[in-house]
Amino acid sequence: MALSLAGLSFAGAALIAGMRGWLTVLAVVALLAGWMLHWRRLRMCRREDACRRPSRLAAGLLVAATVLVMLSLAWQPLIEPWILLRLAAGQ
């Protein structure tokens, strides 16, 4: 039963890996929306002293997500070939 579940999860991973392009575009759009809302709130709170500023946690999470998305965009064309060359040279 465990092997069949592992096979099912590997098939799901293969399905998700096939949709990498669409998921990356969706992640970029979500990040852009998050940054726009963050900056909009910062701008509004500068004008009105009554509202709360965005939390540092939200800004930190946006930065972390942006770094991860940029890493995923650079992985296949830049990072993966470089790592594979180093691994092949080491063997």
Side-chain angles (χ1 to χ4, degrees), residues 11-52:
L15 178 70
I16 290 172
M19 293 187 286
R20 180 183 181 270
W22 291 105
L23 290 174
T24 304
V25 169
L26 184 65
V28 169
V29 168
L31 273 175
L32 287 173
W35 279 114
M36 287 173 52
L37 289 172
H38 183 75
W39 285 325
R40 180 177 163 211
R41 187 167 184 183
L42 271 175
R43 199 174 55 218
M44 286 174 58
C45 286
R46 283 187 191 140
R47 282 190 253 146
E48 302 170 11
D49 292 332
C51 72
R52 282 184 28 207

